[in-house]
PDB file of all heavy atoms in Angstrom:
ATOM      1  N   ASP M  51     -25.057   5.653  66.930  1.00  0.00           N
ATOM      2  CA  ASP M  51     -24.865   4.982  68.213  1.00  0.00           C
ATOM      3  C   ASP M  51     -25.299   5.854  69.380  1.00  0.00           C
ATOM      4  O   ASP M  51     -25.661   5.346  70.441  1.00  0.00           O
ATOM      5  CB  ASP M  51     -23.399   4.581  68.400  1.00  0.00           C
ATOM      6  CG  ASP M  51     -23.025   3.376  67.560  1.00  0.00           C
ATOM      7  OD1 ASP M  51     -23.757   2.371  67.623  1.00  0.00           O
ATOM      8  OD2 ASP M  51     -22.018   3.435  66.828  1.00  0.00           O
ATOM      9  N   VAL M  52     -25.229   7.170  69.225  1.00  0.00           N
ATOM     10  CA  VAL M  52     -25.661   8.118  70.255  1.00  0.00           C
ATOM     11  C   VAL M  52     -26.651   9.072  69.617  1.00  0.00           C
ATOM     12  O   VAL M  52     -26.397   9.615  68.538  1.00  0.00           O
ATOM     13  CB  VAL M  52     -24.473   8.905  70.848  1.00  0.00           C
ATOM     14  CG1 VAL M  52     -24.966   9.889  71.903  1.00  0.00           C
ATOM     15  CG2 VAL M  52     -23.437   7.952  71.439  1.00  0.00           C
ATOM     16  N   THR M  53     -27.792   9.270  70.277  1.00  0.00           N
ATOM     17  CA  THR M  53     -28.827  10.123  69.698  1.00  0.00           C
ATOM     18  C   THR M  53     -29.501  10.930  70.799  1.00  0.00           C
ATOM     19  O   THR M  53     -29.200  10.775  71.988  1.00  0.00           O
ATOM     20  CB  THR M  53     -29.870   9.270  68.947  1.00  0.00           C
ATOM     21  OG1 THR M  53     -30.744  10.129  68.217  1.00  0.00           O
ATOM     22  CG2 THR M  53     -30.697   8.427  69.903  1.00  0.00           C
ATOM     23  N   SER M  54     -30.420  11.794  70.421  1.00  0.00           N
ATOM     24  CA  SER M  54     -31.218  12.548  71.377  1.00  0.00           C
ATOM     25  C   SER M  54     -32.591  11.907  71.516  1.00  0.00           C
ATOM     26  O   SER M  54     -33.029  11.154  70.649  1.00  0.00           O
ATOM     27  CB  SER M  54     -31.358  14.006  70.931  1.00  0.00           C
ATOM     28  OG  SER M  54     -32.047  14.084  69.694  1.00  0.00           O
ATOM     29  N   ILE M  55     -33.261  12.223  72.621  1.00  0.00           N
ATOM     30  CA  ILE M  55     -34.623  11.747  72.838  1.00  0.00           C
ATOM     31  C   ILE M  55     -35.435  12.864  73.479  1.00  0.00           C
ATOM     32  O   ILE M  55     -34.947  13.561  74.379  1.00  0.00           O
ATOM     33  CB  ILE M  55     -34.652  10.481  73.719  1.00  0.00           C
ATOM     34  CG1 ILE M  55     -36.089   9.984  73.890  1.00  0.00           C
ATOM     35  CG2 ILE M  55     -33.976  10.702  75.058  1.00  0.00           C
ATOM     36  CD1 ILE M  55     -36.196   8.648  74.592  1.00  0.00           C
ATOM     37  N   LEU M  74     -32.231   9.320  84.618  1.00  0.00           N
ATOM     38  CA  LEU M  74     -32.040   8.281  83.618  1.00  0.00           C
ATOM     39  C   LEU M  74     -30.994   7.311  84.140  1.00  0.00           C
ATOM     40  O   LEU M  74     -29.857   7.728  84.428  1.00  0.00           O
ATOM     41  CB  LEU M  74     -31.596   8.881  82.280  1.00  0.00           C
ATOM     42  CG  LEU M  74     -31.543   7.914  81.102  1.00  0.00           C
ATOM     43  CD1 LEU M  74     -32.944   7.424  80.744  1.00  0.00           C
ATOM     44  CD2 LEU M  74     -30.896   8.569  79.883  1.00  0.00           C
ATOM     45  N   ASP M  75     -31.408   6.076  84.294  1.00  0.00           N
ATOM     46  CA  ASP M  75     -30.519   5.033  84.827  1.00  0.00           C
ATOM     47  C   ASP M  75     -29.929   5.441  86.171  1.00  0.00           C
ATOM     48  O   ASP M  75     -28.750   5.194  86.470  1.00  0.00           O
ATOM     49  CB  ASP M  75     -29.411   4.710  83.826  1.00  0.00           C
ATOM     50  CG  ASP M  75     -29.964   4.262  82.475  1.00  0.00           C
ATOM     51  OD1 ASP M  75     -31.019   3.611  82.458  1.00  0.00           O
ATOM     52  OD2 ASP M  75     -29.333   4.581  81.446  1.00  0.00           O
ATOM     53  N   ILE M  79     -30.846  14.029  85.382  1.00  0.00           N
ATOM     54  CA  ILE M  79     -30.553  14.723  84.123  1.00  0.00           C
ATOM     55  C   ILE M  79     -31.254  16.076  84.025  1.00  0.00           C
ATOM     56  O   ILE M  79     -30.879  16.905  83.190  1.00  0.00           O
ATOM     57  CB  ILE M  79     -30.918  13.856  82.907  1.00  0.00           C
ATOM     58  CG1 ILE M  79     -32.402  13.474  82.921  1.00  0.00           C
ATOM     59  CG2 ILE M  79     -30.039  12.613  82.853  1.00  0.00           C
ATOM     60  CD1 ILE M  79     -32.859  12.756  81.650  1.00  0.00           C
ATOM     61  N   TYR M  95     -38.632  17.574  77.435  1.00  0.00           N
ATOM     62  CA  TYR M  95     -37.221  17.825  77.709  1.00  0.00           C
ATOM     63  C   TYR M  95     -36.385  16.979  76.767  1.00  0.00           C
ATOM     64  O   TYR M  95     -36.583  15.766  76.641  1.00  0.00           O
ATOM     65  CB  TYR M  95     -36.890  17.467  79.161  1.00  0.00           C
ATOM     66  CG  TYR M  95     -35.418  17.557  79.485  1.00  0.00           C
ATOM     67  CD1 TYR M  95     -34.806  18.785  79.665  1.00  0.00           C
ATOM     68  CD2 TYR M  95     -34.628  16.400  79.577  1.00  0.00           C
ATOM     69  CE1 TYR M  95     -33.440  18.882  79.945  1.00  0.00           C
ATOM     70  CE2 TYR M  95     -33.275  16.480  79.857  1.00  0.00           C
ATOM     71  CZ  TYR M  95     -32.681  17.728  80.037  1.00  0.00           C
ATOM     72  OH  TYR M  95     -31.342  17.812  80.299  1.00  0.00           O
ATOM     73  N   THR M  96     -35.430  17.615  76.092  1.00  0.00           N
ATOM     74  CA  THR M  96     -34.570  16.906  75.141  1.00  0.00           C
ATOM     75  C   THR M  96     -33.273  16.492  75.820  1.00  0.00           C
ATOM     76  O   THR M  96     -32.502  17.341  76.284  1.00  0.00           O
ATOM     77  CB  THR M  96     -34.259  17.785  73.918  1.00  0.00           C
ATOM     78  OG1 THR M  96     -35.485  18.143  73.266  1.00  0.00           O
ATOM     79  CG2 THR M  96     -33.372  17.036  72.926  1.00  0.00           C
ATOM     80  N   TYR M  97     -33.067  15.177  75.875  1.00  0.00           N
ATOM     81  CA  TYR M  97     -31.823  14.636  76.402  1.00  0.00           C
ATOM     82  C   TYR M  97     -30.947  14.266  75.210  1.00  0.00           C
ATOM     83  O   TYR M  97     -31.376  13.548  74.299  1.00  0.00           O
ATOM     84  CB  TYR M  97     -32.100  13.411  77.269  1.00  0.00           C
ATOM     85  CG  TYR M  97     -30.861  12.759  77.819  1.00  0.00           C
ATOM     86  CD1 TYR M  97     -30.101  13.407  78.788  1.00  0.00           C
ATOM     87  CD2 TYR M  97     -30.440  11.510  77.379  1.00  0.00           C
ATOM     88  CE1 TYR M  97     -28.944  12.819  79.298  1.00  0.00           C
ATOM     89  CE2 TYR M  97     -29.295  10.913  77.882  1.00  0.00           C
ATOM     90  CZ  TYR M  97     -28.543  11.583  78.840  1.00  0.00           C
ATOM     91  OH  TYR M  97     -27.404  11.006  79.342  1.00  0.00           O
ATOM     92  N   GLU M  98     -29.705  14.740  75.204  1.00  0.00           N
ATOM     93  CA  GLU M  98     -28.883  14.699  73.997  1.00  0.00           C
ATOM     94  C   GLU M  98     -27.989  13.471  73.846  1.00  0.00           C
ATOM     95  O   GLU M  98     -27.473  13.220  72.765  1.00  0.00           O
ATOM     96  CB  GLU M  98     -27.982  15.953  73.948  1.00  0.00           C
ATOM     97  CG  GLU M  98     -28.744  17.265  73.895  1.00  0.00           C
ATOM     98  CD  GLU M  98     -29.400  17.503  72.543  1.00  0.00           C
ATOM     99  OE1 GLU M  98     -29.157  16.710  71.610  1.00  0.00           O
ATOM    100  OE2 GLU M  98     -30.158  18.471  72.419  1.00  0.00           O
ATOM    101  N   ASN M  99     -27.796  12.691  74.894  1.00  0.00           N
ATOM    102  CA  ASN M  99     -26.744  11.666  74.842  1.00  0.00           C
ATOM    103  C   ASN M  99     -27.264  10.270  75.157  1.00  0.00           C
ATOM    104  O   ASN M  99     -26.717   9.558  76.008  1.00  0.00           O
ATOM    105  CB  ASN M  99     -25.622  12.036  75.820  1.00  0.00           C
ATOM    106  CG  ASN M  99     -24.938  13.333  75.436  1.00  0.00           C
ATOM    107  OD1 ASN M  99     -24.354  13.422  74.361  1.00  0.00           O
ATOM    108  ND2 ASN M  99     -25.020  14.327  76.311  1.00  0.00           N
ATOM    109  N   LEU M 100     -28.288   9.847  74.453  1.00  0.00           N
ATOM    110  CA  LEU M 100     -28.838   8.522  74.663  1.00  0.00           C
ATOM    111  C   LEU M 100     -27.989   7.491  73.922  1.00  0.00           C
ATOM    112  O   LEU M 100     -27.815   7.556  72.704  1.00  0.00           O
ATOM    113  CB  LEU M 100     -30.289   8.456  74.175  1.00  0.00           C
ATOM    114  CG  LEU M 100     -31.026   7.164  74.497  1.00  0.00           C
ATOM    115  CD1 LEU M 100     -31.287   7.078  76.002  1.00  0.00           C
ATOM    116  CD2 LEU M 100     -32.329   7.069  73.719  1.00  0.00           C
ATOM    117  N   THR M 101     -27.489   6.514  74.648  1.00  0.00           N
ATOM    118  CA  THR M 101     -26.608   5.496  74.076  1.00  0.00           C
ATOM    119  C   THR M 101     -27.380   4.190  73.864  1.00  0.00           C
ATOM    120  O   THR M 101     -28.535   4.035  74.283  1.00  0.00           O
ATOM    121  CB  THR M 101     -25.413   5.241  75.003  1.00  0.00           C
ATOM    122  OG1 THR M 101     -25.899   4.884  76.307  1.00  0.00           O
ATOM    123  CG2 THR M 101     -24.554   6.493  75.126  1.00  0.00           C
ATOM    124  N   ASN M 102     -26.719   3.226  73.216  1.00  0.00           N
ATOM    125  CA  ASN M 102     -27.347   1.935  72.944  1.00  0.00           C
ATOM    126  C   ASN M 102     -27.630   1.191  74.247  1.00  0.00           C
ATOM    127  O   ASN M 102     -26.894   1.303  75.225  1.00  0.00           O
ATOM    128  CB  ASN M 102     -26.428   1.071  72.075  1.00  0.00           C
ATOM    129  CG  ASN M 102     -26.194   1.676  70.710  1.00  0.00           C
ATOM    130  OD1 ASN M 102     -27.044   2.370  70.177  1.00  0.00           O
ATOM    131  ND2 ASN M 102     -25.028   1.400  70.130  1.00  0.00           N
ATOM    132  N   HIS M 105     -32.700   1.292  79.062  1.00  0.00           N
ATOM    133  CA  HIS M 105     -32.630   2.462  79.943  1.00  0.00           C
ATOM    134  C   HIS M 105     -33.888   2.533  80.812  1.00  0.00           C
ATOM    135  O   HIS M 105     -34.976   2.128  80.379  1.00  0.00           O
ATOM    136  CB  HIS M 105     -32.519   3.756  79.140  1.00  0.00           C
ATOM    137  CG  HIS M 105     -31.285   3.834  78.294  1.00  0.00           C
ATOM    138  ND1 HIS M 105     -30.058   4.163  78.808  1.00  0.00           N
ATOM    139  CD2 HIS M 105     -31.099   3.606  76.975  1.00  0.00           C
ATOM    140  CE1 HIS M 105     -29.153   4.144  77.843  1.00  0.00           C
ATOM    141  NE2 HIS M 105     -29.771   3.804  76.709  1.00  0.00           N
ATOM    142  N   LYS M 127     -32.752   1.773  73.459  1.00  0.00           N
ATOM    143  CA  LYS M 127     -32.193   2.253  72.203  1.00  0.00           C
ATOM    144  C   LYS M 127     -31.491   1.066  71.560  1.00  0.00           C
ATOM    145  O   LYS M 127     -30.488   0.568  72.066  1.00  0.00           O
ATOM    146  CB  LYS M 127     -31.198   3.393  72.398  1.00  0.00           C
ATOM    147  CG  LYS M 127     -30.686   3.917  71.057  1.00  0.00           C
ATOM    148  CD  LYS M 127     -29.476   4.799  71.198  1.00  0.00           C
ATOM    149  CE  LYS M 127     -28.923   5.178  69.833  1.00  0.00           C
ATOM    150  NZ  LYS M 127     -28.529   4.012  69.011  1.00  0.00           N
TER     151      LYS M 127
END
Side-chain angles (χ1 to χ4, degrees):
D51 285 310
V52 179
T53 189
S54 63
I55 182 173
L74 188 66
D75 302 326
I79 59 173
Y95 174 76
T96 300
Y97 178 69
E98 299 287 353
N99 296 298
L100 187 70
T101 56
N102 296 330
H105 298 281
K127 183 194 174 301

